[in-house]
Amino acid sequence: MSSYRAPRGTRDLLPESRAALSRLEGIARSLAVRYGYREMEIPLFEQVSVFERGIGPATDVVEKELFRLTPRTEDSESWALRPEATAGIVRAYVQHGMQTWPQPVKLTVVGSMFRYDRPQAGRYRQFWQWDAETIGDPGPAVDAEVIEMGRRFYAEAGVADVQVLLNSIGDSACRPAYLARLKSYFASHEAELPELERRRLETNPLRLLDSKDPTMTAVVSAAPKISECLCDACEAHFAAVRAHLDAVGVPYRLEPTLVRGLDYYARTAFEYYRRGAEGQQQALGGGGRYDGLVELLGGRPTQAIGFALGLDRVMLALDEAGAQPAREAPPLAVVVGADPADTVSRLRVASLLRGEGLSVRAELAQRKLGRQLETASKEHAHFAVILGDELAEGNVQLKDLEAGTQRLVPLADLAHELARAAKSHHHG
RNA sequence: GUGGCCUUAGCUCAACCGGCAGAGCAGCGGACUGUGGAUCCGCAGGUUACGGGUUCGACCCCCGUAGGCCACCCCA
């Protein structure tokens, strides 16, 4: 047994898992195109300050989960692996002057993110996300469009029981007043608060609403709700988002405790949640409006909304639901030979077929024919091209491994025959 | 970062009270020297996660480390 292993919180995606991820990436890219998003790439790492400003210095993601790279010299820049994509995309938006493009700019990134936290099922230090951002649109219609796109992703991926949780967290006009009210409410109940919750009262009072402490339920349910404290503009925005969701037939559950802690988040906040899951990593994805972020990263005031969907958690959900694993495409044909030593013929014929765009495997191990066919069967190849004495007359045996039939085919016609058969097999 | 449970062959798991580390599947080979998923036979695969300790003797008991899982924190 090797003493080397994948680093903690990472895992190798063996071909079967990689196929499952590729399938999800394919759905994401297809949806992105259908909804008018353009795919881009951003670096896997950025200056630490991009994340500090773009996510928030007081968040757990930055405070304790940032995957920092050690600087090479005393005075060199501090880098960190990206814990999410939004900050980097917005940085790129500002850097490349995308405010001069037709607005809104709709961008998407598919790739892995990194967080240095304690691993668990569905929670990794390297994980995959599909991220989509619409920058330069104040909503509310686009809010509903984004939420609907995410929901369609789960539908097309085949994840059942995904619920949309929805809330409005107000904006700079009404949230400060709400926060003050919330603080004073909990302060008046401080005696009933456990130690952890008392600390939160200082650091992030909104989080109190989300407490999992069972002794808190009474206090929390009586707490003032943001939905009752929205200013007229936010109230109107929220109502319009809901109206648009209703219009496109997206069901949702209003979730008053769904929050985002930082100032530049505004109004719409949503999560995709899986019901009836065993483990607790039930948040499959989430997003919201961040009307202050572009400005914070050096751009002009620009309203924006986006989401990040966790692809690992979708894979987990599909596994647990017993979904059919994504099949890798088997080779159309395997080139085998009666003479185990004649690897030259097998390689030559395989090369010929590959030149015609066909997907074939050459059996180059020097094993007897029976073994070669056995392997071809096990990998679900549709055909075996058998090379033997008839090759001297320019012929091969073309064997249909599913039907068990075979016939003599001139080598000159082989590619054509296989290509035709591939079509009738609706081979993918 | 805090607490708990777990770790035996590539995979799934056995091994009595502390007394010779095993099986199924997968791999490779043979039966079958030009015809496949079955069957039978064989081969290979292990410092029992790693490092210490207790003991005549440790997969088994104790300590530490690593990794996994669960609950928190938080989130995808």
Side-chain angles (χ1 to χ4, degrees):
Chain A
M1 179 191 298
S2 166
S3 59
Y4 291 117
R5 37 196 312 169
R8 181 172 202 197
T10 71
R11 67 221 193 281
D12 300 307
L13 296 180
L14 304 189
E16 193 176 314
S17 314
R18 176 64 252 197
L21 177 60
S22 294
R23 177 179 158 267
L24 296 181
E25 289 173 330
I27 294 169
R29 292 195 167 101
S30 160
L31 280 169
V33 167
R34 275 182 272 165
Y35 281 75
Y37 287 78
R38 301 171 73 192
E39 188 174 4
M40 68 175 295
E41 289 286 343
I42 52 172
L44 289 180
F45 59 94
E46 300 267 359
Q47 292 181 36
V48 166
S49 51
V50 169
F51 302 126
E52 281 175 348
R53 295 182 77 86
I55 300 168
T59 55
D60 273 36
V61 169
V62 166
E63 234 171 29
K64 55 179 215 188
E65 294 171 7
L66 211 53
F67 213 122
R68 291 164 183 275
L69 306 176
T70 55
R72 297 190 69 99
T73 61
E74 289 277 320
D75 55 346
S76 69
E77 198 68 60
S78 290
W79 312 104
L81 298 176
R82 61 189 190 189
E84 47 101 75
T86 308
I89 291 173
V90 170
R91 192 224 80 232
Y93 176 92
V94 173
Q95 176 180 337
H96 300 285
M98 293 188 207
Q99 75 275 0
T100 68
W101 297 9
Q103 303 293 297
V105 177
K106 300 168 80 174
L107 300 169
T108 186
V109 166
V110 183
S112 49
M113 309 297 156
F114 304 84
R115 287 186 201 176
Y116 197 83
D117 58 2
R118 194 148 162 179
Q120 231 169 289
R123 168 188 291 179
Y124 304 103
R125 287 181 174 180
Q126 178 182 9
F127 57 101
W128 275 262
Q129 282 190 339
W130 173 32
D131 185 284
E133 310 288 345
T134 299
I135 307 175
D137 188 321
V142 73
D143 301 33
E145 185 188 46
V146 166
I147 292 168
E148 193 250 347
M149 177 168 73
R151 193 182 146 73
R152 193 184 293 280
F153 173 79
Y154 296 111
E156 294 194 0
V159 189
D161 296 324
V162 176
Q163 212 168 31
V164 176
L165 307 186
L166 182 68
N167 196 23
S168 173
I169 57 170
D171 64 7
S172 53
C174 50
R175 193 154 30 149
Y178 169 71
L179 272 178
R181 224 180 115 180
L182 191 68
K183 257 183 164 164
S184 74
Y185 167 80
F186 279 116
S188 70
H189 290 81
E190 190 162 358
E192 303 160 49
L193 302 184
E195 168 61 27
L196 170 69
E197 311 296 345
R198 262 181 239 186
R199 259 184 293 131
R200 279 170 154 171
L201 188 53
E202 293 310 312
T203 57
N204 197 347
L206 282 173
R207 279 266 150 241
L208 280 162
L209 294 171
D210 211 13
S211 174
K212 292 189 184 74
D213 193 319
T215 67
M216 290 283 292
T217 46
V219 184
V220 165
S221 62
K225 292 185 171 42
I226 179 76
S227 52
E228 294 155 3
C229 303
L230 295 177
C231 61
D232 290 348
C234 284
E235 182 63 59
H237 183 100
F238 194 30
V241 170
R242 298 193 317 255
H244 281 86
L245 286 173
D246 293 339
V248 289
V250 173
Y252 52 86
R253 199 179 84 205
L254 293 179
E255 184 58 63
T257 64
L258 181 60
V259 296
R260 295 280 188 279
L262 297 148
D263 289 346
Y264 46 83
Y265 287 112
R267 297 184 170 169
T268 309
F270 59 95
E271 256 176 30
Y272 301 97
Y273 206 72
R274 183 159 64 110
R275 283 180 296 185
E278 284 303 315
Q280 287 303 296
Q281 313 304 334
Q282 295 183 356
L284 295 178
R289 181 158 280 286
Y290 47 95
D291 287 345
L293 182 55
V294 177
E295 192 175 3
L296 203 71
L297 289 178
R300 296 201 296 234
T302 306
Q303 292 146 308
I305 186 168
F307 68 46
L309 309 189
L311 302 185
D312 308 78
R313 288 186 181 179
V314 172
M315 288 193 275
L316 195 64
L318 291 172
D319 275 355
E320 284 177 9
Q324 290 291 322
R327 271 267 302 271
E328 305 154 63
L332 175 63
V334 176
V335 181
V336 300
D339 176 6
D342 186 9
T343 50
V344 166
S345 295
R346 274 171 270 159
L347 188 58
R348 257 192 25 234
V349 171
S351 173
L352 181 97
L353 296 173
R354 289 160 179 164
E356 297 298 321
L358 299 170
S359 163
V360 304
R361 187 175 70 78
E363 179 57 77
L364 300 178
Q366 301 194 19
R367 299 187 294 187
K368 65 183 182 183
L369 182 57
R371 292 287 180 192
Q372 297 179 45
L373 286 167
E374 187 180 331
T375 308
S377 294
K378 281 180 182 166
E379 65 190 315
H380 301 108
H382 289 134
F383 295 95
V385 174
I386 304 172
L387 310 183
D389 296 336
E390 61 274 21
L391 198 57
E393 285 86 51
N395 295 318
V396 303
Q397 292 286 351
L398 178 58
K399 177 163 189 158
D400 185 325
L401 288 169
E402 285 156 22
T405 57
Q406 77 181 50
R407 62 201 166 88
L408 201 66
V409 172
L411 188 55
D413 299 344
L414 182 60
H416 178 71
E417 290 287 324
L418 274 172
R420 211 181 46 160
K423 270 182 201 157
S424 65
H425 267 269
H426 54 82
H427 184 75

